[in-house]
Amino acid sequence: MRTSLFRSLIGIVLILLCIGPVLGQKRPAFQPLLQRAEEALAEKDLDKAVILYEKLANFYPESSLAHNRLGYAHYLKGNDPRAIYSFRKALSLSRTNDEALHNLLLASGRQADELARQNAFAEAERELSDLIASYSWHPQHAVLLYYRGRMEFLRGKPDDGLAWWKEAAEQAPSSSVAKVVAAQSRPLNEETLKLYTQASEKVKTEPGFDFLLGRRQLQAKQYEAAYQSLRKGLEKSRAANIPFPMLSLEVAQAALATARYQEAVEVLEEAKKQRPDWASIRCLLWPAYIMAGQPAAADQALQEAYELDPRGKLAVLGNIDKPVRLRTDNGSLLLLPPTGVSVPPGKVSLTSADGTKEAFTLAKDQAVVFRSNDGGLKRESSATMVSNAGEAGQLAPPLVAKDRRGRFYRLAENLLKKPIVIVFWNVADSDAKSQLTSLGAIKAHLGEGVETVAIHTDPSTQKEAHQLYLSMPGTTAQLWGDLDMAGQFGVTSSSSLVVIDRNGRICLTRTGPAEELFREMNEYVETL
């Protein structure tokens, strides 16, 4: 026992001798080291600046200034997550460091926009919610609420976005957001328009302000004014390279209302690439293509809308000055022709401006087109849609599933970016390990050029599957699912493989042992 203790003491002494020079290293003076880092930053040598600021923060870990400047160097390099970490460290050391808070807001806003570009809204929500909870005490807290609301607009939830902006307006009553919130509750007149204009002039890059104004102008039948407002917002969104598909839908509706049919098609095709999982975009493309004189493209848009949302489809064409009231068992909606929507199956009624009423029963696989002329309504066509879910050439369904860490994975966030290989497996499969090994090998071979997803299909054996997941870390996503989820892709058993191409369409399905599933798979994916 004494020998063992003696050896332990010798080990400790040796460790101290090895790290002694580091522990005994003389701490450089703060100001000269800061000056060297500042000079590197001024010369735009960001790599050198980061190294020097890192050194400063390590030698002076209690310095809020050091951590703030380190964060700023990371921010200039475009490394927002690392910048946010340093700014938060600076604020933990000094709550009165307003520069650190200002920098934190800049980095957080830019990171939220970048996550929005990737459709990674769940991650953006987590980041912003954490910041909102952590800095509720700060006078600039309203800026975080503004970013949170902006994210909801970009996500396609404008009502939630406006609710967050109302909270921001309460904290910052003289802000641009407060002007827009006030305008939303007032009649649409010259004084109200001034509030929108003042807000847009102060925050020149915010498309959400134009979206809210344009939507109100559409509701007021000011179609040309709505088009101009919404188009202005779309140009801002494009300039910032931040997808805003809900805005694109409103632009397209205004374009249709002002007989700009081809432009509506182009805007919607652009939005379709941004959100390949939105059936509403295809629903509006359907009448847009009809009005543009492209019936084959209209049929394709209708089929895609049905693949994404297997409900009945209704299009109303005709006179824009004669809105049509749609009523279903779930409520009512005012339709502005030409337009197209998904409708729950069941009893449906349409009422025109002159009181003409059309009542009918809509099947879940039925598409009906009405035309409104001179206030009246006339059924123009009806068709039965066929579901080809899971077949080669069809759109991938909007999969959402939890991964082994409990986080949500959304397939739509990765569509149209790279090929996606999905394996539906069961830990009870005799070759389960080979399936995961082969899937990981594809990722190792093609790297960032492919997305690889494993989905376990038996909820009752997740514990056993979790152990295998942990030993096979090579795939992009390791998810929990069931055979119903597999059925959305046209496969009915585990030990199945689905490949999705860069256009978001299923291009290959296989079922069988691992050897068959992955035969020549690397070569196949490389051709996509």
Side-chain angles (χ1 to χ4, degrees):
M1 183 173 179
R2 289 182 179 179
T3 302
S4 175
L5 178 61
F6 181 70
R7 287 175 178 172
S8 298
L9 289 173
I10 291 176
I12 294 172
V13 171
L14 289 174
I15 291 172
L16 291 173
L17 288 174
C18 290
I19 67 173
V22 177
L23 294 175
Q25 186 176 352
K26 183 179 179 182
R27 185 163 77 162
F30 183 90
Q31 199 59 40
L33 184 54
L34 174 64
Q35 184 62 34
R36 288 173 57 201
E38 294 288 309
E39 289 172 356
L41 194 67
E43 294 170 358
K44 296 183 171 52
D45 189 346
L46 298 180
D47 290 334
K48 181 179 179 181
V50 165
I51 292 172
L52 292 172
Y53 283 127
E54 193 82 58
K55 187 175 182 180
L56 188 70
N58 287 336
F59 276 114
Y60 294 89
E62 75 288 354
S63 170
S64 178
L65 171 62
H67 289 286
N68 175 52
R69 297 307 289 170
L70 172 60
Y72 188 61
H74 279 299
Y75 174 76
L76 293 179
K77 286 192 69 176
N79 189 351
D80 291 330
R82 186 64 183 83
I84 289 171
Y85 174 84
S86 293
F87 295 144
R88 296 190 70 170
K89 179 66 176 177
L91 284 166
S92 71
L93 294 167
S94 174
R95 291 177 58 152
T96 60
N97 190 335
D98 289 337
E99 182 181 333
L101 193 281
H102 175 74
N103 290 338
L104 175 63
L105 296 177
L106 289 176
S108 300
R110 192 169 72 178
Q111 178 174 250
D113 285 347
E114 179 57 33
L115 292 172
R117 290 187 188 97
Q118 303 169 17
N119 287 337
F121 293 105
E123 185 178 348
E125 180 180 346
R126 283 196 302 270
E127 294 285 342
L128 288 173
S129 296
D130 180 42
L131 291 168
I132 287 169
S134 298
Y135 299 103
S136 59
W137 50 269
H138 201 280
Q140 295 186 56
H141 184 250
V143 178
L144 293 171
L145 300 176
Y146 159 74
Y147 284 139
R148 183 70 169 81
R150 174 185 169 91
M151 187 210 71
E152 294 296 346
F153 278 102
L154 298 176
R155 178 152 59 175
K157 297 182 177 181
D159 292 340
D160 291 348
L162 188 58
W164 282 102
W165 280 5
K166 286 179 179 178
E167 286 192 43
E170 291 175 0
Q171 294 188 17
S174 61
S175 65
S176 296
V177 170
K179 287 183 171 61
V180 170
V181 168
Q184 285 293 109
S185 62
R186 298 185 182 185
L188 191 59
N189 53 34
E190 289 299 320
E191 290 302 314
T192 302
L193 287 174
K194 285 181 182 178
L195 290 174
Y196 286 113
T197 301
Q198 290 169 3
S200 294
E201 288 176 350
K202 189 172 181 181
V203 186
K204 299 181 184 298
T205 59
E206 178 50 67
F209 297 166
D210 304 296
F211 169 81
L212 290 173
L213 172 57
R215 192 167 64 165
R216 290 197 66 190
Q217 289 169 325
L218 268 179
Q219 294 167 352
K221 301 182 183 180
Q222 300 174 11
Y223 303 125
E224 183 60 31
Y227 170 79
Q228 297 299 334
S229 296
L230 293 165
R231 184 76 198 190
K232 186 185 300 182
L234 182 60
E235 293 304 322
K236 293 177 183 178
S237 175
R238 287 172 172 170
N241 190 28
I242 301 174
F244 194 162
M246 185 61 72
L247 172 61
S248 296
L249 279 169
E250 296 290 347
V251 172
Q253 187 66 77
L256 289 170
T258 54
R260 295 176 169 95
Y261 304 131
Q262 189 57 40
E263 181 175 346
V265 166
E266 292 169 359
V267 169
L268 290 169
E269 285 290 350
E270 178 185 16
K272 188 172 74 171
K273 294 177 182 177
Q274 297 168 352
R275 290 307 302 262
D277 57 326
W278 279 22
S280 56
I281 296 174
R282 268 84 170 184
C283 271
L284 195 53
L285 257 175
W286 171 34
Y289 271 123
I290 293 175
M291 300 304 294
Q294 302 178 55
D299 290 344
Q300 179 65 33
L302 173 61
Q303 180 61 36
E304 291 179 357
Y306 184 60
E307 290 170 17
L308 291 170
D309 183 354
R311 294 185 294 173
K313 300 292 181 279
L314 173 67
V316 180
L317 313 178
N319 195 331
I320 62 171
D321 291 325
K322 307 296 182 182
V324 174
R325 175 66 64 178
L326 165 68
R327 287 185 173 85
T328 69
D329 292 339
N330 294 336
S332 68
L333 179 68
L334 191 65
L335 302 180
L336 175 65
T339 194
V341 293
S342 294
V343 181
K347 294 181 179 179
V348 177
S349 69
L350 293 173
T351 306
S352 65
D354 68 351
T356 302
K357 185 175 181 179
E358 289 281 344
F360 57 99
T361 299
L362 185 71
K364 68 176 183 179
D365 58 353
Q366 189 177 15
V368 181
V369 178
F370 279 85
R371 186 173 292 274
S372 171
N373 283 322
D374 299 323
L377 277 173
K378 180 181 179 181
R379 181 184 288 215
E380 192 164 279
S381 66
S382 179
T384 299
M385 298 174 289
V386 178
S387 175
N388 298 316
E391 293 186 9
Q394 300 307 305
L395 291 172
L399 168 74
V400 178
K402 281 189 175 182
D403 68 12
R404 63 178 175 82
R405 296 183 178 88
R407 302 173 303 190
F408 281 105
Y409 175 88
R410 290 171 171 81
L411 186 66
E413 295 177 2
N414 299 287
L415 290 175
L416 308 183
K417 298 176 182 178
K418 62 183 74 172
I420 302 172
V421 180
I422 303 176
V423 168
F424 293 95
W425 71 288
N426 189 328
V427 70
D429 296 336
S430 59
D431 61 351
K433 187 173 182 179
S434 295
Q435 293 178 47
L436 295 186
T437 300
S438 299
L439 186 63
I442 293 175
K443 183 64 177 177
H445 179 69
L446 298 175
E448 293 303 312
V450 67
E451 181 92 352
T452 53
V453 181
I455 303 178
H456 187 257
T457 59
D458 185 358
S460 68
T461 56
Q462 282 187 6
K463 183 176 180 180
E464 295 85 349
H466 190 270
Q467 295 300 319
L468 194 52
Y469 266 153
L470 290 175
S471 67
M472 300 284 172
T475 53
T476 307
Q478 300 173 326
L479 310 180
W480 305 121
D482 52 33
L483 288 178
D484 288 340
M485 185 180 292
Q488 298 176 34
F489 292 82
V491 296
T492 57
S493 65
S494 61
S495 191
S496 296
L497 178 144
V498 176
V499 182
I500 301 168
D501 65 19
R502 294 179 186 272
N503 296 314
R505 295 183 177 277
I506 295 172
C507 57
L508 178 69
T509 59
R510 288 178 178 173
T511 299
E515 182 180 355
E516 176 63 24
L517 292 183
F518 294 94
R519 177 172 45 84
E520 298 179 352
M521 187 53 58
N522 282 337
E523 293 79 5
Y524 177 77
V525 175
E526 285 178 334
T527 66
L528 299 178

